């Protein structure tokens, strides 16, 4: 391909570092498969050495995904790198991404190492990694705030040792576009062997400029890889958003002149899947994937779009996965129609048995809700992945009573470790009573730090999607639940969060 921009997705690694966004192995695998459908070039599947859970997730993704390169992050030491290589052993195409901080601040305060020690460790780590895999990426963490002479020295040395990609992170989101673009350009011009590696940008969004900085790194600096995440998920204010970068480069091909491998029609389904899995709701006015991204409210705009669509639209909604016909299925829709819609939405189900389970849930939903929208189907299959497997707590049923002037009461039935249990409580409102009814039995002692409800498809007939963020013993998790009854959705979200707290506790214990 002429001049291609490599899309490196780090939703499963940097994205997962957002508070509460941690995902189970199965959730990660599902998202990785979706990223493969999206035709992402490189998937950073995790940080294999960080926990047994992460190792298993990277390994499972390396085994399942064939069309994208699978990458594991690793600190610049032999143990981490060996662990990454082991997890990636079965990948069709594997990359090790090793990093060490190079800014004076990080070296002195965080690493407590001298620049010479960092230089040596970077060099030897890349050499070690190159003996294990042919594709090695090196990142000088906090690269943008590093002394430029030192940075040039380190980068030249790691390229000599065989690094095939050089990534220059703006770790703290401090850059501005013109300066960042020129910074990359300067490094490429000054480092004698710079042409032996692909240059990559990795920008955080603390000042809201991650996408702009990345584009400047590409246009001014000549980078040919962008590191990004779905919905811009990531630590603090997040990372550069994949959907925005991709659609900017595609829509303004006249300016960027670059090819992309991405199948943009899967963008929306991927965005929904990530949002529903992590509990990070997409804001309505978010570019490309927000509910309002293609909605025209003013009469003048509506009139213009009806006469000639390009009066107010620079992209086609269908090109990013919004279907023109919004009501998709109903009570009378059969299994084939359901299966076809799953395929059109880019949802890959593992087996016919999974499709059958999802279809049964679809039928239940269609009995309660006459029109089923794409968003309902995405929520349903997402919820399906939540409840599949051996979760500790699984919702069964809920009864609650609330009346003006009386204190609401709730009784909930769920399974705990496979055994049916019942909890009862009153509360300030029906949701409060229901969650207290769960706690009456579980006694997790977790603190709720966020509760939000979102109507999946607009009207009151819509399903409510609830996100609950719980914090316990320094661990933070997000639980998500969807149901036409928001009290039930809340209970499902709460149980989902408890399951995640439980599995996090297990993985910490496993590291011992
Ligand atoms: O932001 C950062 O510096 C990173 C590196 C590990 C690449 O995520
Ligand atoms: Zn980062």
């Amino acid at each position: 391909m002429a001049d291609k921009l490599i899309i490196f997705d780090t939703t499963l690694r940097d994205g997962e570092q957002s508070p509460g966004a941690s995902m189970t192995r199965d959730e990660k695998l599902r998202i990785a498969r979706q990223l493969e459908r999206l035709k992402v070039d490189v998937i950073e599947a995790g940080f294999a050495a960080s926990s047994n859970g992460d190792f298993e997730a990277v390994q499972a993704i390396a085994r399942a995904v064939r069309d994208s390169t699978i990458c594991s992050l690793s600190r610049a030491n032999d143990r981490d790198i060996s662990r990454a290589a082991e997890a990636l052993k079965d990948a069709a195409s594997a990359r090790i991404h090793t990093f060490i901080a190079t800014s004076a601040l990080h070296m002195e305060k965080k690493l407590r190492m001298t620049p010479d020690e960092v230089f040596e460790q970077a060099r030897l780590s890349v050499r070690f990694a190159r003996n294990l895999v042919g594709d090695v990426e090196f990142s000088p963490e906090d690269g943008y705030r590093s002394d430029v002479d030192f940075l040039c020295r380190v980068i030249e040395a790691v390229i000599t040792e065989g690094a095939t990609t050089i990534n220059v992170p703006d770790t703290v989101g401090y850059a501005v576009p013109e300066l960042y673009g020129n910074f990359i350009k300067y490094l490429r011009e000054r480092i004698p062997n710079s042409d032996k590696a692909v240059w990559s940008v990795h920008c955080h969004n603390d000042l809201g400029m991650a996408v702009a900085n990345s584009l400047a790194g590409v246009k001014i600096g000549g980078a040919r890889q962008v590191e990004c995440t779905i919905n811009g998920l990531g630590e603090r204010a997040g990372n550069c958003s994949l959907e925005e970068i991709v659609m900017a480069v595609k829509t303004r091909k006249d300016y960027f002149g670059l090819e992309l491998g991405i199948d943009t029609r899967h963008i929306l389904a991927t965005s929904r899947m990530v949002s529903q899995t992590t509990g990070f709701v997409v804001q309505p006015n978010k570019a490309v994937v927000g509910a309002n991204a293609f909605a025209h409210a003013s009469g003048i705009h509506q009139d213009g779009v009806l006469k000639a669509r390009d009066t107010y639209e620079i992209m086609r909604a269908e090109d990013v996965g919004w279907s023109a016909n919004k009501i998709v299925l109903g009570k009378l829709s059969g299994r084939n129609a359901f299966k076809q819609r799953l395929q059109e939405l880019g949802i890959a189900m593992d087996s016919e048995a999974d499709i059958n389970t999802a279809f049964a849930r679809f039928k239940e939903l269609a009995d309660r809700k006459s029109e089923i929208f794409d968003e309902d189907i995405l929520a349903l299959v997402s919820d399906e992945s939540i409840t599949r497997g051996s979760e500790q707590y699984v919702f069964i049923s809920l009864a609650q009573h609330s009346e003006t002037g009386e204190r609401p009461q709730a009784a909930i039935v769920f399974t705990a470790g496979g055994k049916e249990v019942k909890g009862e409580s009153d509360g300030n409102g029906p949701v409060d009573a229901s969650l207290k009814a769960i706690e009456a039995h579980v006694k997790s002692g977790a603190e709720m730090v966020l509760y939000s409800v979102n109507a999946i498809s607009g009207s009151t007939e819509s399903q409510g999607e609830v996100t609950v963020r719980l914090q316990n013993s320094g661990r933070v998790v997000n639980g998500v639940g969807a149901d036409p009854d928001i009290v039930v959705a809340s209970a499902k979200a709460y149980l989902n969060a408890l399951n995640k707290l439980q599995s996090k506790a297990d993985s910490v214990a496993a590291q011992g």
Side-chain angles (χ1 to χ4, degrees):
M1 207 182 260
D3 197 2
K4 186 183 171 187
L5 184 64
I6 297 167
I7 298 297
F8 175 114
D9 180 277
T10 182
T11 307
L12 302 176
R13 197 279 299 171
D14 220 343
E16 206 205 14
Q17 289 174 215
S18 313
S22 66
M23 294 167 245
T24 63
R25 191 195 77 122
D26 287 354
E27 286 169 342
K28 285 189 172 189
L29 188 55
R30 209 170 131 68
I31 291 176
R33 288 207 169 106
Q34 182 64 21
L35 292 171
E36 184 184 29
R37 285 181 79 90
L38 187 60
K39 295 200 175 14
V40 157
D41 300 289
V42 186
I43 299 173
E44 188 161 51
F47 183 172
S50 69
S51 70
N52 291 342
D54 239 37
F55 179 91
E56 282 166 20
V58 175
Q59 187 176 56
I61 293 168
R63 287 177 178 164
V65 171
R66 299 283 96 185
D67 294 338
S68 307
T69 294
I70 306 302
C71 171
S72 171
L73 186 70
S74 110
R75 282 166 298 198
N77 64 57
D78 294 1
R79 181 198 162 265
D80 270 30
I81 293 170
S82 304
R83 217 44 199 145
E86 202 186 327
L88 294 169
K89 192 163 54 71
D90 299 325
S93 165
R95 173 180 297 186
I96 292 178
H97 175 192
T98 188
F99 75 100
I100 189 164
T102 50
S103 66
L105 188 64
H106 279 230
M107 290 190 290
E108 191 189 322
K109 303 276 188 241
K110 186 182 82 174
L111 299 176
R112 295 182 199 285
M113 287 170 74
T114 65
D116 283 344
E117 286 167 342
V118 167
F119 174 85
E120 225 20 46
Q121 196 160 322
R123 206 171 66 76
L124 295 178
S125 297
V126 170
R127 179 184 294 180
F128 185 73
R130 263 312 297 264
N131 282 330
L132 301 173
V133 295
D135 185 351
V136 173
E137 173 169 332
F138 174 76
S139 287
E141 192 193 6
D142 206 17
Y144 182 65
R145 292 194 303 168
S146 301
D147 173 75
V148 73
D149 293 334
F150 178 62
L151 194 58
C152 286
R153 208 179 129 218
V154 172
I155 293 177
E156 184 180 346
V158 297
I159 295 177
T160 304
E161 295 296 345
T164 43
T165 300
I166 297 296
N167 180 45
V168 184
D170 176 23
T171 304
V172 292
Y174 181 68
V176 291
E178 193 185 350
L179 298 183
Y180 183 70
N182 281 323
F183 189 66
I184 307 284
K185 182 168 186 269
Y186 179 81
L187 294 174
R188 287 184 57 235
E189 283 171 359
R190 195 174 135 186
I191 296 171
N193 54 2
S194 68
D195 60 330
K196 304 276 182 305
V198 172
W199 286 72
S200 167
V201 290
H202 178 113
C203 298
H204 280 266
N205 203 33
D206 297 66
L207 293 173
M209 290 188 279
V211 172
N213 288 337
S214 302
L215 289 172
V218 169
K219 181 71 183 175
I220 305 173
R224 286 297 175 265
Q225 174 176 287
V226 174
E227 302 203 350
C228 46
T229 59
I230 302 294
N231 301 336
L233 192 70
E235 283 220 80
R236 307 181 308 277
N239 286 61
C240 169
S241 134
L242 180 145
E243 57 278 8
E244 292 177 23
I245 275 286
V246 164
M247 291 317 289
V249 171
K250 183 176 156 113
T251 308
R252 296 307 310 270
K253 191 164 180 212
D254 59 318
Y255 179 70
F256 291 104
L258 293 169
E259 301 293 335
L260 288 162
I262 300 292
D263 183 346
T264 60
R265 292 167 307 161
H266 296 296
I267 284 182
L268 185 66
T270 318
S271 161
R272 293 294 302 165
M273 187 184 284
V274 169
S275 144
Q276 284 168 346
T277 307
T278 58
F280 277 73
V281 175
V282 174
Q283 76 200 52
N285 59 338
K286 166 85 172 63
V288 185
V289 292
N292 291 352
F294 293 90
H296 300 276
S298 95
I300 296 175
H301 287 206
Q302 282 173 352
D303 182 52
V305 169
L306 288 176
K307 285 179 179 145
R309 171 185 191 142
D310 53 3
T311 49
Y312 288 100
E313 281 186 5
I314 57 163
M315 300 172 264
R316 289 170 3 127
E318 305 88 284
D319 288 350
V320 294
W322 292 94
S323 67
N325 179 8
K326 295 266 305 172
I327 301 166
V328 289
L329 295 172
K331 199 177 163 135
L332 299 177
S333 307
R335 188 180 179 282
N336 278 345
F338 178 70
K339 191 172 162 185
Q340 189 186 331
R341 196 64 206 143
L342 288 181
Q343 275 161 5
E344 284 161 3
L345 285 170
I347 297 162
M349 286 258 162
D350 295 344
S351 65
E352 288 299 309
D354 283 350
I355 296 176
N356 288 344
T357 319
F359 182 61
R361 306 248 325 235
F362 159 74
K363 279 293 193 190
E364 270 171 39
L365 183 64
D367 273 342
R368 297 160 68 198
K369 189 173 182 295
S370 56
E371 294 167 338
I372 306 285
F373 297 86
D374 284 346
E375 287 82 353
D376 292 311
I377 299 175
L378 290 165
L380 184 138
V381 293
S382 201
D383 196 30
E384 182 57 31
S385 76
I386 287 165
T387 53
R388 190 191 304 150
S390 51
E391 268 78 18
Q392 173 74 0
Y393 305 113
V394 180
F395 175 85
I396 296 183
S397 65
L398 173 74
Q400 52 86 13
H401 178 80
S402 65
E403 203 174 320
T404 313
E406 278 184 24
R407 196 161 164 80
Q409 304 283 332
I412 181 159
V413 182
F414 57 104
T415 57
K419 211 171 117 226
E420 200 166 301
V421 293
K422 188 172 178 187
E424 288 179 340
S425 178
D426 58 3
N428 285 349
V431 171
D432 188 48
S434 303
L435 305 194
K436 284 188 170 133
I438 297 175
E439 266 303 309
H441 180 85
V442 175
K443 298 188 177 38
S444 74
E447 182 194 353
M448 191 184 298
V449 287
L450 179 136
Y451 171 83
S452 83
V453 190
N454 177 38
I456 287 187
S457 49
S459 75
T460 50
E461 221 224 7
S462 155
Q463 288 200 85
E465 184 178 56
V466 173
T467 302
V468 164
R469 183 174 299 165
L470 297 183
Q471 185 170 315
N472 203 359
S473 314
R475 297 192 299 272
V476 183
V477 294
N478 287 338
V480 189
D483 198 273
D485 179 336
I486 60 161
V487 186
V488 172
S490 305
K492 286 182 177 174
Y494 195 83
L495 291 171
N496 179 233
L498 290 176
N499 284 329
K500 288 191 170 177
L501 269 182
Q502 174 90 20
S503 73
K504 270 201 133 188
D506 291 347
S507 81
V508 172
Q511 284 173 65

